[in-house]
Amino acid sequence: MFVVVLQALAGFLSIIAMLYQKRYNKLHRSIYGLSYDLYLLDLVGSGLYLYCALHYCYSPLIREQLSKRFPLFYPLNEASSVPISSSLFLKDFFVFFCCLLVLRQLYYYRSTKHIYQGISITSTLFVSFFVMLGIFTYGCSIFNLPLKDSGKFGVFYLDHINYLWVMANLLKSFKYIPQMSINWMGCSTIGLSSKYVVISFFAEFIDLVGRLLIPTSASFYKLPFNSTPFWVKLVQFITLLVILFQVQYIYVGRKPRLPKGKL
């Protein structure tokens, strides 16, 4: 379907944007003004996307529970009953890989960061909470296996994967807010590649406009399980719009004023 194609195109444009940011960091040998949380949240979110997609596609237990819960939509005797987009899977894989590359730069050039850079307590708490919640739901979901597939407290293994998918979307939706906050605290967008911002904004724009203007004829149960919900893209678009406004208007020409932080 065309909406999935647009979503994949937007994803690969965002990968190009990340590569431009990586190149910018390498040329300047600096990560001053760049958010650690942005790439941490993107990395964890993409990793969860991949994990969930693999389970939806290849886990016999997931397929069995999905078929029992929605027998008309996902019959067990049809191998392709669970829709997974391979292009979106590849997109998530490359985003995950690019996040690793940029995080590697954030580590190697850490001597150039300012006092407000680093992995924040807020992001650490959010990720830690999601990790503990994921471990808890996993333990509940496998509590009665293999005798019966229903888990403790009514949590099935399918529910565990669905919870992880929701967590991934929450992390993805707010990933640009840390960068927006760092720009505001430093009253500068030094360190942020303008090409990264423009291409990322354009990617989210075509995805969002495509969903609004191009109606899809596919039924809801035929939409790929690894597609990104509309509300996630909407939040990303709004936050990127603010960052673009910061880069092009509010802090244009501003010199950095924050001192470098400790290693």
Side-chain angles (χ1 to χ4, degrees), residues 82-102:
V82 181
I84 296 292
S85 171
S86 56
S87 59
L88 294 180
F89 183 86
L90 284 175
K91 180 264 296 182
D92 292 329
F93 174 79
F94 285 118
V95 168
F96 182 86
F97 181 72
C98 288
C99 286
L100 286 176
L101 295 179
V102 178

Side-chain angles (χ1 to χ4, degrees), residues 96-262:
F96 182 86
F97 181 72
C98 288
C99 286
L100 286 176
L101 295 179
V102 178
L103 284 171
R104 181 171 174 266
Q105 288 184 323
L106 289 170
Y107 174 77
Y108 281 129
Y109 300 143
R110 64 190 183 279
S111 60
T112 62
K113 68 179 182 179
H114 62 62
I115 56 175
Y116 290 133
Q117 284 181 263
I119 298 176
S120 67
I121 297 177
T122 304
S123 293
T124 303
L125 290 176
F126 267 107
V127 173
S128 300
F129 173 74
F130 286 158
V131 168
M132 290 188 292
L133 184 60
I135 293 173
F136 174 75
T137 56
Y138 175 78
C140 291
S141 65
I142 65 171
F143 188 79
N144 294 322
L145 293 177
L147 298 178
K148 55 180 181 178
D149 61 359
S150 60
K152 195 174 181 62
F153 305 118
V155 179
F156 289 75
Y157 195 71
L158 174 62
D159 298 321
H160 162 67
I161 299 299
N162 288 339
Y163 293 151
L164 293 181
W165 182 80
V166 173
M167 295 175 199
N169 286 310
L170 288 173
L171 293 174
K172 284 278 192 175
S173 61
F174 299 112
K175 68 176 184 177
Y176 291 114
I177 292 180
Q179 184 64 61
M180 185 175 63
S181 301
I182 282 184
N183 297 342
W184 173 73
M185 287 186 288
C187 294
S188 171
T189 57
I190 296 295
L192 195 60
S193 170
S194 58
K195 290 182 179 179
Y196 168 80
V197 176
V198 172
I199 295 175
S200 297
F201 177 79
F202 180 69
E204 301 301 335
F205 177 78
I206 62 173
D207 189 359
L208 197 65
V209 171
R211 296 189 190 208
L212 291 174
L213 299 182
I214 303 174
T216 176
S217 58
S219 303
F220 70 93
Y221 60 90
K222 293 183 179 179
L223 296 175
F225 275 39
N226 57 338
S227 61
T228 306
F230 175 80
W231 62 269
V232 175
K233 290 297 180 180
L234 180 61
V235 174
Q236 289 180 350
F237 176 80
I238 293 173
T239 49
L240 265 174
L241 182 62
V242 174
I243 293 176
L244 182 65
F245 194 66
Q246 288 176 328
V247 171
Q248 299 294 334
Y249 297 101
I250 301 178
Y251 303 132
V252 62
R254 295 280 189 93
K255 294 182 179 180
R257 63 181 182 86
L258 294 175
K260 292 183 179 180
K262 297 180 180 180

